[in-house]
């Protein structure tokens, strides 16, 4: 084509190579800066803290203290009656939060592991931001599970430890699978967050003084960047990238099995596993968009690292995930709809015509109908605030989805005499508490941890070059491995 | 009869004999819905009352409830026969395997579905998985709500606690509970029979609900003894089990009209 | 992993405080070893020592069901029916089960107090010596004609004692009353029995041997007369005959719990029950080809069909059922009697039995035998007699009023004005166990024991054809500083001396009871034989009473019931409202169950409402009035008004509204009252006041009842017409049932 | 024969690669050379041998240990005390798969993580030879040679574009 084009009338004979380079400059990988400069930018972004940050931080701290710690303590002391749970919705908002946060956590793994495996280069600047979401999201998910328990002070009875009660936990129970899977995932994703962080911590160590120096020194573990260290690290990261993907899939699948294994109308569905995984990615991608937007707008120098191209790529991912999610949603829905089982019929009747129908249809609109309509447009994809808005919308939709699956679906069962609609009570405060805590952790992390994996960016920039093919310069990616 | 749960085979094959051991029949044709069984159960088993607000919000602790629906419209309206609903003591109980801490195991000796309060950590999965919705959760320490006690010389005393049946655990908050088929009575009768060197006789003892029932609609006994009253009632043509299609092997038979 | 360790080791372990779940495996040689097992067995597998069982009598209503109370370490644990007692044969109703909640109620009157008619329980304590002296002085220093005793329907021994006392000093006989007897219309039944069966007394309907039951408003499965006995009869009627399942038809304007068990519930307008019975009689007579008896001859079936609202075909259908039945039985009761024409209704319904020729026969209308130590049937006062009594109080001719076992301020219609009449009595002494409305309005409360702490006996007025006297004995020692009223009176009489002391020459209550049962010593037709009083008393305690082993049935003639003219006049309804008002006794609460929390938490069998009062209204009517569930309405009659939340009840005549009696206490302890809560997550009526303030739980339908009576003097409680007004407020009724699953609430309605 | 440890800092990969080649020529063997860099640099680029690592072996070991632990949990622990639950095999295989999978993965991941620590001698807060410029993208080559050859090598490397060549001294990082 390039050969033919020069014979076309009006085709430019001489390429403006300079302009072409400018074109490529919009991509981070073709806009390299010296490593030292990038380091300085990242360090500065951590150190530049405005008073607004502290105001928000203070407010969030108060909310966490009241809505998380105090409210939880009160609930432990008083019993779960302060929450909205009852017969038949024995599970309420706490498990909605659990599923939601586990869903959010999937984004980090997806971006840093799957995209790493497939060498999707746009991932480089925001893998860490996404992985932090995984870890912090899982902390909230775990806390929500414990909030949900009636006797949380005995939760250690679920751990497979030798004990004087001479009993081991019941491995028939999906909750035990859940416990093991989430433990694996929390540990795995935290380690996977930490490994690529070591070189950046070493970088920060080299540029800090005072308490930060000590902090980074301890965390960097004495990393210097010798060939051996890199080799071990890369090997481990490659292993993690591959190994954490099945763990990630297993976690949300097992979470879905908590529901799917139960013999309840609406829950007992074989498609729940992949449906939940896709749902998780759906909300996770949306959350990443929000986080990137906030990072880019509030932190110094982030517009260098996080660019329109990243939002565009994320938007495409979101679009793809939306379609996949839609597929599974429909797959789940039509089987239930067509089956005609009395209990399921009652349930669908309830969902679509009952008092929570607004939530059901909002969920469909937010998750399935609106995102693809908007995400088709490159312009919208490349507008960070719009993408963030879509991300928030998807997350609201996904929260509704979990809310519908847990308390609203639980309202209907095989005993019509017990049907009852769930009313959220103090669980609302605790939900606000977990959200605030997530944000608080993130804010804290943004001051302490280099949110941009500088060495990965530099590695990418080294690997990218423009190669002249005919008259055009085309981006080229070298494989150093 | 004990079942070797390690038998290799089809999943259904390892379930207990469909018969079970202790069973109950409830004659809906003569059940008058009078709630005597509900009261008797509460009195026997130290069940806490929850108060107006919680009761209306689906937190009542009844181990047995009497269901009634409507058919038709005025004046041809008919209330469906009263249907006492209690734990069906499934031989193949969906609540049992889902508990992470074995708080609701199956007793091989009695072939009943136990609820071990002191092991329960309150995940409430069992209640979700119970197709009969007969499990109730202690949402709070209802027994010791201060308003239920009197201040005597600076100490809060609860006169109502005098009534507690010492054979039955008083459950605290965060614990699941359900009908036990009055297992304390079963044990007492069994041990009495054992010390006298005999088998438990049919009708020697019964559950609190059956004992109170003024219409004698509830019969309790050994369903695996063909000559027992409950077994004969159960095998009537009008006998029916609830949600049998779920393969839960319920031990309660409902006798319909006709 | 269970391991065997010796008992010695086990004790060591136990003393070391090891949290070991240990199970003793019996008491034989096997107990040399204990097995350490994991935490997988229920604690219910363990032993807690031996229980002691005492036979006594239930005092939750006057039926006289025998109880066996299980006690352990001095505490009453569980009340069960006494299998030997012929009234209940080992069974109990819900109220009987909950009797322990009365014994251990946190709101008992714990010591004698000078009340001085305060609204709350007074803190001014007294000691029993002063209290007894006070009673003695009151008895001694008052003109006997100016002393009045107002007593409940239980227990009978105290009634006998007071009767002896009043007879001796020439005071008026004690007046007995109970809301249950008011709603049962006992006077009407007794009068109807006298007119139709030829003998006064309480009729007993032998359901068990009938194969067709036609019930006219009789709520015999709920609270009526002897519900446990009647429920047993019902079960026998339904399933007792292996060849034929008994059939039941129920006429009532709303579907009560009893109606729900009927095979056919036929709604009709209140007050037309007697006419319907006559029409049925005529149709049956015509169908069987015999001559139409005089009593049925004047009725116009077509006219009855129009007045009652029952289609003619339906009447004919029921008549054909009766004609085909082997042993049909018609039962009058409930709202059929609580009308201005109640007695005529009762007679008309009894005439149906006469037509079936079942008087005094198995499966028919029988006359309850008198209890063993009873000379004549003492019926509780009817409402007209209560009105006269109140007039007497108002006239100021009563100087001292003793109240025991009854709470007339709550139980009597407000229109009768009992509360105001109390003001005219200088001294009111209450012997109440609980701080109920009447007790709080008294000058003194000298609390009696709870029934389970007390001696006594109760005559079974009906419920069995065996003449029965059910004995009561304390099953626990008294919880509080209470004293048996009988003992107080005996002691007061001794202190007063003179005629009083002569009338009650007993050392204590037990001696008095012994004197009353002494006539049964040596009788061989009873449940036990004892040669002298001490062994008789111990047997009496052990058996829980004395009853004849054989049923006895008076020979009754149907002729009188058939060969007479019976004019069933149209019922007269008081007031201008558009709705017939039908109050009924709550089947779970009864007249005095509101302070027992578990009775409050028992769902009403039909509406499943807990802890509150509702107004049952036909959904179509409600729709026209723009009323929804939980809308608070004002029910207004000419006598008063009450507020309660609406329950759209699908099985009620569109022109009728119904309300349960039992709630709406303005006193009677914390469970009978509601309390303002700090945060109301479920919307209730907004009320003024401080957090924690008590206010009435629910409403008392007696407040809208007027002073109208039927021919026998019973209250025409179903004879009011009322208006209803929407207040605009909501009160979320706590229901056990699902509004979604049962009524499709929140889902689009099909067919509307 | 005394030895000197020198540290040469390079701006880019190419001069560093050349320098390493030169060092080989000068008789400094690969065992005596190490490279410190701020980004992972493939060994081929520098003409260095493939550095050995035990991480994958440890992962494998962890996986096997995890698998065995999973076996113990699912098929072993029920035998320690037997509690039957409704309609389930005593030691069911399908749920066991989940336990086996999760435990295998957990132990493998833990072992991998620990493997990095073991192989890299983490954490190590001892003084070490290091230049902070490395994290700015420079490449540092440090090598051991005979004391007498140090000067010569320094000059050679300087000619090849080393920013500095100086004796490496261990310092607190």
């Amino acid at each position: 084509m390039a050969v033919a084009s020069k014979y076309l009338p009006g085709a430019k004979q001489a390429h403006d190579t300079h302009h072409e380079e400018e074109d490529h400059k919009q991509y981070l990988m073709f806009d390299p800066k010296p490593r030292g400069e990038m380091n300085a930018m990242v360090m500065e972004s951590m150190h530049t803290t405005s008073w607004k940050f502290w105001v928000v931080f203070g407010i969030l701290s108060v909310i966490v203290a009241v809505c998380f710690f105090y409210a939880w303590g009160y609930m432990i002391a008083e019993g779960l009656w302060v929450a909205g749970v009852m017969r038949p919705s024995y599970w309420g908002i706490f498990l909605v939060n659990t599923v939601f946060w586990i869903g959010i956590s999937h984004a980090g793994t997806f971006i840093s592991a799957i995209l790493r495996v497939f060498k999707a280069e746009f991932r480089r600047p925001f893998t860490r931001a996404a992985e932090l979401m995984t870890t912090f999201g899982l902390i909230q998910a775990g806390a929500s599970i414990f909030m949900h328990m009636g006797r949380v002070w005995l939760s250690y009875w679920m751990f497979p430890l030798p004990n004087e009660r001479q009993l081991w936990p019941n491995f028939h129970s999906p909750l035990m699978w859940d416990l093991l899977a989430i433990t694996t995932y929390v540990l795995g994703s935290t380690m996977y967050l930490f490994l690529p962080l070591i070189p950046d911590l070493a970088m920060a160590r080299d540029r800090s003084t005072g308490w930060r120096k000590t902090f980074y020194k301890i965390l960097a573990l004495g990393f210097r960047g010798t060939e051996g260290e890199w080799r071990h690290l890369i090997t481990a990261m490659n292993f993690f990238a591959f190994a954490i993907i099945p763990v990630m899939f297993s976690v949300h699948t097992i979470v879905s099995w908590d529901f799917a294994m139960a013999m309840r109308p609406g829950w007992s569905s074989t498609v729940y596993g992949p449906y939940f995984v896709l749902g998780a990615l759906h909300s996770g991608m949306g959350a990443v968009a929000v986080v990137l937007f906030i990072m880019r707008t509030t932190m110094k120098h982030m517009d260098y690292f996080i660019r329109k191209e990243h939002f565009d790529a994320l938007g495409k991912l979101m679009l793809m995930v939306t379609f996949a999610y839609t597929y599974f949603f429909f797959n789940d829905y039509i089987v239930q709809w067509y089956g005609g089982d009395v209990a399921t019929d009652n349930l669908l009747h309830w969902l679509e015509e009952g008092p929570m129908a607004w939530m059901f249809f909002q969920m469909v609109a937010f998750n399935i109908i609106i995102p693809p309509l908007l995400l088709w447009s490159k312009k919208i994809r490349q507008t960070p605030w719009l993408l963030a808005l879509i991300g928030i919308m998807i997350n609201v939709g996904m929260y509704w989805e979990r809310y519908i699956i847990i308390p609203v679906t639980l309202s209907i069962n095989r005993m019509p005499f017990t049907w009852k609609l769930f009313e959220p009570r103090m669980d609302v405060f605790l939900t606000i508490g977990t959200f605030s805590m997530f944000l608080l952790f993130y804010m804290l992390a943004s001051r302490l941890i280099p949110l941009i994996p500088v060495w990965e960016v530099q590695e990418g920039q080294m690997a990218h070059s423009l190669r002249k093919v005919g008259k055009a310069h085309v981006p080229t990616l070298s494989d150093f491995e | 009869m004990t079942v070797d749960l390690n038998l290799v085979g089809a999943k259904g094959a390892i379930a207990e004999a469909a018969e079970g051991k202790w069973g109950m029949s409830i004659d809906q044709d003569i059940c008058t819905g009078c709630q005597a069984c509900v009261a008797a159960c509460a009195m026997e088993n130290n069940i806490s009352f929850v108060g107006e607000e919680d009761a209306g919000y689906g937190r009542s602790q009844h181990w047995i409830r009497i269901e009634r629906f409507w058919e038709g419209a005025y004046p041809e309206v008919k209330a469906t026969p009263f249907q006492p609903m209690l734990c069906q003591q499934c031989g193949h109980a969906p609540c049992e395997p889902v508990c992470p801490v074995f708080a609701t195991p199956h007793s091989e000796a009695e072939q009943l579905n136990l609820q071990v309060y002191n092991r329960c950590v309150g995940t409430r999965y069992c209640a979700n998985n119970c197709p009969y919705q007969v499990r109730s959760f202690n949402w709070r320490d209802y027994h010791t709500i201060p308003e239920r006690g009197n201040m005597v010389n600076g100490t809060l005393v609860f006169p109502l606690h005098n009534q507690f049946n010492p054979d039955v655990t008083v459950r605290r908050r965060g614990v699941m509970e359900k009908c036990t088929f009055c297992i304390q009575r079963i044990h007492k009768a069994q041990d009495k029979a054992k010390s006298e060197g005999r088998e438990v006789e049919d009708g020697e003892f019964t559950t609190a609900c059956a004992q109170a029932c003024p219409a004698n609609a509830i019969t309790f006994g050994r369903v695996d003894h063909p000559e027992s009253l409950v077994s004969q009632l159960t095998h009537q043509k009008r006998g029916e089990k609830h949600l049998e299609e779920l393969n839960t092997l319920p031990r309660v038979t409902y006798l319909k009209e006709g | 992993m269970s391991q065997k360790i010796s008992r010695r080791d086990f004790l060591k372990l136990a003393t070391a405080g090891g949290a070991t779940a240990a199970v003793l495996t019996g008491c034989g040689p096997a107990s040399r070893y204990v097995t350490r097992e994991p935490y997988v067995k229920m604690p219910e597998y363990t032993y807690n020592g031996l229980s002691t069982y005492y036979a006594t009598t239930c005092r939750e209503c006057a039926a006289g069901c025998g109880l066996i109370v299980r006690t352990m370490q001095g505490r009453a644990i569980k009340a069960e029916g006494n299998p030997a007692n012929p009234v209940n044969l080992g069974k109990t109703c819900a109220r009987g089960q909950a009797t322990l909640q009365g014994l251990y109620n946190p709101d008992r009157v714990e010591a004698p107090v000078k009340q001085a008619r305060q609204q709350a329980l007074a803190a001014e304590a007294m000691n029993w010596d002063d209290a007894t002296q006070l009673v003695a002085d009151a008895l001694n220093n008052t003109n006997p004609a100016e002393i009045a005793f107002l007593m409940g329907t239980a227990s009978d021994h105290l009634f006998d004692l007071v009767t002896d006392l009043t007879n001796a000093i020439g005071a008026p006989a004690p007046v007995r009353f109970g809301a249950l007897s008011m709603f049962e219309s006992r006077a009407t039944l007794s009068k109807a029995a006298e007119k139709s069966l030829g003998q006064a007394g309480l009729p007993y309907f032998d359901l068990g041997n009938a194969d067709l039951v036609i019930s006219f408003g009789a709520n015999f499965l709920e609270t009526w007369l002897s519900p446990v006995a009647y429920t047993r009869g019902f079960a026998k009627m339904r399933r007792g005959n292996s060849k034929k399942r008994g059939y039941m038809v129920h006429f009532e304007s709303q579907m009560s719990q009893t109606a729900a068990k009927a095979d056919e519930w036929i709604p009709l307008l209140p007050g037309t029950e007697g006419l319907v019975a006559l029409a049925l009689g005529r149709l049956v007579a015509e169908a069987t080809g015999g001559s139409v008896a005089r009593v049925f001859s004047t009725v116009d079936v077509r006219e009855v069909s129009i007045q009652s609202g029952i289609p003619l075909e339906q009447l004919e259908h029921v008549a054909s059922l009766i004609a085909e039945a082997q042993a049909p039985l018609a039962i009058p009761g409930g709202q059929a009697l609580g009308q201005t024409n109640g007695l005529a209704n009762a007679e008309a319904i009894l005439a149906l039995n006469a037509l079936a020729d079942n008087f005094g026969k198995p499966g028919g209308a029988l006359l309850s035998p008198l209890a063993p130590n009873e000379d004549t049937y003492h019926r509780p006062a009817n409402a007209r007699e209560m009105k006269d009594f109140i007039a007497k109080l108002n006239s100021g001719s009563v100087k001292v009023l003793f109240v025991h076992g009854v709470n007339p301020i709550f139980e009597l219609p407000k229109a009768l004005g009992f509360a105001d009449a109390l003001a005219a009595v200088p001294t009111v002494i209450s012997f109440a166990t609980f701080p109920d409305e009447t007790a709080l309005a008294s000058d003194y409360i000298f609390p009696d024991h709870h029934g389970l702490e007390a001696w006594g006996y109760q005559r079974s007025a009906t419920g069995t054809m065996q003449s029965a006297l059910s004995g009561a004995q304390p099953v626990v020692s008294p919880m509080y500083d209470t004293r048996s009223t009988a003992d107080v009176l005996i002691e007061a009489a001794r202190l007063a001396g003179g005629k009083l002391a002569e009338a009650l020459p007993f050392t204590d209550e037990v001696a008095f009871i012994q004197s009353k049962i002494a006539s049964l010593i040596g009788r061989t037709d009873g449940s036990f034989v004892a040669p002298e009083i001490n062994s008789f008393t111990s047997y009496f305690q052990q058996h829980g009473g004395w009853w004849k082993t054989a049923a006895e049935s008076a020979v009754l003639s149907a002729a009188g019931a058939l060969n007479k003219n019976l004019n069933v006049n149209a019922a007269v309804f008081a007031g201008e409202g558009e709705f017939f008002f039908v109050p009924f006794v709550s089947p779970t609460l009864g007249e005095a169950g509101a302070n027992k929390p578990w009775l409050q938490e028992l769902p009403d069998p039909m509406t499943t409402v807990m802890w509150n009062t509702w107004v049952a209204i036909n959904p179509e009517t409600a729709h026209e009035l723009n009323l929804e569930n939980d809308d608070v309405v004002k029910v207004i009659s000419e006598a008063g008004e009450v507020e309660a939340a609406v329950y759209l009840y699908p099985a009620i005549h569109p022109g009728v509204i119904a309300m349960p009696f039992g709630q709406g206490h303005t006193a009677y302890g914390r469970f009978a009252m509601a309390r303002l809560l700090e945060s109301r997550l479920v919307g209730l009526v907004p009320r003024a006041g401080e957090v924690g303030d008590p206010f009435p739980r629910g409403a008392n339908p007696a407040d809208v009842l007027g002073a109208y009576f039927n021919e026998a003097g019973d209250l025409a409680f179903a004879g009011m017409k009322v208006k209803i007004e929407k207040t605009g407020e909501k009160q979320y009724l706590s229901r056990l049932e699902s509004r979604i699953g049962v009524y499709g609430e929140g889902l689009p309605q099909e067919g509307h | 024969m005394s030895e000197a440890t020198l540290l040469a800092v390079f701006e880019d990969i190419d001069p560093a690669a050349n320098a390493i080649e030169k060092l080989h020529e000068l008789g400094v063997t690969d065992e005596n050379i190490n490279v410190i860099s701020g980004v992972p640099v493939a060994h081929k680029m520098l003409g260095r041998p493939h550095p050995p690592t035990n991480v994958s072996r440890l992962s494998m070991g962890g996986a096997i240990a995890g698998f065995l632990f999973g076996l113990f949990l699912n098929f072993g622990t029920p035998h320690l005390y037997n509690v039957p639950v409704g309609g389930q095999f005593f030691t069911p295989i399908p749920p066991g798969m989940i336990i086996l999978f999760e435990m295998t993965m957990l132990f493998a991941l833990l072992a991998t993580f620990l493997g990095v620590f073991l192989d890299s001698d983490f954490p190590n807060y001892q003084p070490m030879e290091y230049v902070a410029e490395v994290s700015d993208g420079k490449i540092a080559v440090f090598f051991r040679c005979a004391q007498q050859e140090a000067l010569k090598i320094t000059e050679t490397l300087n000619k090849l574009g080393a920013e500095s060549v100086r004796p490496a001294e261990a310092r607190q990082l």
Side-chain angles (χ1 to χ4, degrees), chain B:
Chain B
M1 167 189 137
T2 52
V3 178
D4 183 0
L5 291 166
N6 274 317
L7 272 179
V8 178
K11 203 175 171 212
I14 56 110
E16 281 178 1
E19 200 86 295
K21 192 169 180 183
W22 297 103
M24 187 179 271
S25 76
I26 297 177
D27 194 336
Q28 285 185 264
D29 201 14
I30 55 177
C31 169
T32 66
C34 70
Q35 311 283 343
C37 53
V38 183
C41 176
M43 297 300 123
E44 170 77 13
N45 290 304
N46 303 339
I47 305 174
S48 50
F49 55 95
V50 301
E52 181 173 17
E53 197 181 351
D54 274 7
Y57 187 54
R59 284 171 176 172
S60 56
Q61 302 272 69
H62 307 93
W63 283 6
I64 176 170
R65 63 167 185 266
I66 299 180
E67 301 191 343
R68 139 346 245 108
F69 294 90
W70 296 104
E71 276 167 4
Y74 184 88
E76 270 82 44
V77 63
K78 214 171 154 30
T80 57
F82 293 109
Q83 176 175 292
M85 185 48 71
L86 68 164
C87 176
Q88 311 280 305
Q89 306 290 352
C90 306
H92 191 156
C95 55
E96 289 173 0
V98 297
C99 178
V101 292
F102 284 122
T104 177
H106 207 76
S107 136
E108 282 172 295
E110 289 87 18
Q111 303 204 4
L112 293 180
N113 176 232
L114 305 180
Q115 178 65 35
V116 189
Y117 314 115
N118 44 4
R119 275 203 65 74
C120 178
V121 296
T123 66
R124 309 194 286 292
Y125 200 161
C126 52
N128 265 350
N129 213 16
C130 172
Y132 305 96
Q133 292 290 308
V134 288
R135 289 172 159 265
S136 55
F137 190 70
N138 287 274
W139 301 105
R140 68 186 290 195
D141 283 325
Y142 287 107
H143 284 300
T144 52
I145 294 176
E147 290 140 39
R148 296 184 182 178
N150 290 333
M151 213 40 127
V152 177
N153 303 328
T155 350
L156 201 54
V157 296
F158 295 91
L160 281 169
H161 290 189
N162 284 311
Q163 195 195 340
F164 281 154
N165 183 350
D167 297 343
V168 179
T169 314
V170 178
R171 284 80 58 187
R172 70 179 304 182
R173 69 180 187 278
V175 172
M176 191 58 74
E177 61 183 56
K178 65 163 194 86
C179 162
T180 62
F181 263 11
C182 285
I183 195 161
Q184 67 278 9
R185 293 184 174 209
I186 298 181
H187 272 265
K188 225 160 228 187
Q190 275 180 340
D191 287 331
K192 184 159 178 273
K194 196 175 160 194
S195 68
E196 290 165 13
R198 57 176 174 87
E199 282 274 298
V200 178
E201 285 160 27
D202 190 35
E204 183 181 334
F205 79 102
T206 187
T207 57
C209 51
Q211 188 171 5
C213 180
N216 251 332
I218 306 178
T219 314
F220 178 79
R222 288 288 289 266
V223 277
D224 55 344
H225 288 176
E227 69 283 3
S228 74
L229 180 60
V230 65
S231 162
Q232 287 173 4
L233 287 168
T234 300
H235 290 107
Q236 281 181 307
K237 250 191 234 156
R238 59 194 183 108
E240 212 173 80
K241 288 181 177 174
H242 268 288
L243 300 178
E244 220 177 353
E245 66 274 18
L246 298 177
N247 191 26
T248 51
L249 304 181
R251 302 289 186 239
V252 181
T253 306
Y254 289 84
L255 306 175
K256 302 286 178 186
E257 281 179 32

Side-chain angles (χ1 to χ4, degrees), chain C residues 449-473:
Chain C
H449 296 319
H450 182 265
L452 293 180
E453 302 162 334
W455 296 95
Y457 55 73
Q458 185 76 9
R459 290 185 272 264
S460 79
T462 182
T464 172
M465 292 311 287
Q466 288 161 259
S467 171
L469 182 67
S470 188
Q473 62 176 326

